[in-house]
Amino acid sequence: FSFLRRGMSPNLNLMTLPHIYIFAITNTAAVTYDFAYKMRFLYKKVKIVENPEEFYFVLNMMEKDDCIILVSYSGETFELFDVAELKTKYQFHTISITSLGDNSLIQYTDCHLFISTREKLYSKIGHFVSNESIYYILDTLYACLFRKHYQENWDKKLALSKRIDYERYSTIDIIQEDE
């Protein structure tokens, strides 16, 4: 998965980084749990930080080469703390998932993955488009990481799924596993 970014290696591999943290709040945080779950099948821990009071603590514990993914529809969610200052001090990688446009978040992140901007901030019945955009980006990221060592990852996922879901069954023929 190649990223366009300033001052970072063009071959950043999330699988080799010590820790991945996702900072998100409210509906965007809920969407990220599926990505963290999938990454477990690749034996990669992803910590989701959704409490703004916890952001500073986690940022100050980050180590060199850790990665933080900041998710914000508006790009203004994280203006309360200075990620740029901490990033310079600790040299961790930053990826933003945010709306296309000039916002605060893209000013201090290395890589920008843009979501659809087809919703207003609050005059909507739900976060349908933005949530689906975030799901799509995270699913694509997971798929790219999975593909990098496809057979090895497939074997690990299959073995782990069999151990976890050993009691799972269905009476519907079309979804039954071929054993």
Side-chain angles (χ1 to χ4, degrees):
F1 198 86
S2 296
F3 297 116
L4 297 176
R5 62 191 154 285
R6 299 179 309 259
M8 292 180 67
S9 165
N11 296 316
L12 174 66
N13 182 353
L14 291 178
M15 294 304 292
T16 63
L17 300 178
H19 304 98
I20 298 174
Y21 298 92
I22 298 179
F23 284 25
I25 59 172
T26 62
N27 66 296
T28 58
V31 173
T32 63
Y33 279 91
D34 185 56
F35 175 73
Y37 176 77
K38 288 174 185 163
M39 292 296 284
R40 291 178 190 164
F41 288 102
L42 300 179
Y43 294 84
K44 187 67 182 172
K45 293 179 187 174
V46 175
K47 166 88 168 127
I48 297 169
V49 184
E50 58 183 306
N51 180 348
E53 294 173 3
E54 194 179 355
F55 290 165
Y56 266 119
F57 293 110
V58 173
L59 280 169
N60 281 292
M61 291 186 306
M62 291 182 71
E63 301 169 6
K64 185 180 192 291
D65 291 329
D66 282 349
C67 181
I68 180 173
I69 301 173
L70 297 119
V71 184
S72 169
Y73 181 67
S74 68
E76 305 302 333
T77 306
F78 305 103
E79 75 278 359
L80 298 176
F81 57 88
D82 191 354
V83 173
E85 179 185 326
L86 290 167
K87 187 178 159 231
T88 302
K89 182 178 177 182
Y90 296 108
Q91 300 177 346
F92 52 83
H93 305 285
T94 55
I95 300 170
S96 62
I97 299 177
T98 188
S99 296
L100 182 63
D102 190 25
N103 61 50
S104 300
L105 186 56
I106 64 170
Q107 301 303 315
Y108 54 78
T109 52
D110 302 310
C111 169
H112 321 299
L113 303 173
F114 295 109
I115 61 178
S116 174
T117 52
R118 302 299 298 171
E119 294 173 332
K120 298 291 184 188
L121 285 175
Y122 57 87
S123 59
K124 57 187 171 229
I125 62 169
H127 301 92
F128 302 116
V129 174
S130 56
N131 282 359
E132 287 304 316
S133 293
I134 296 165
Y135 270 120
Y136 178 77
I137 287 170
L138 293 174
D139 279 349
T140 302
L141 182 57
Y142 169 75
C144 289
L145 294 169
F146 194 98
R147 180 180 168 265
K148 200 159 180 90
H149 301 285
Y150 182 85
Q151 193 59 53
E152 176 186 340
N153 289 330
W154 175 252
D155 293 342
K156 286 191 297 190
K157 186 195 180 308
L158 196 57
L160 190 56
S161 292
K162 284 180 180 179
R163 275 200 320 251
I164 293 170
D165 294 333
Y166 68 93
E167 293 180 336
R168 198 169 185 193
Y169 71 94
S170 175
T171 58
I172 303 168
D173 289 338
I174 197 166
I175 66 170
Q176 289 184 11
E177 293 288 338
D178 300 325
E179 295 295 330

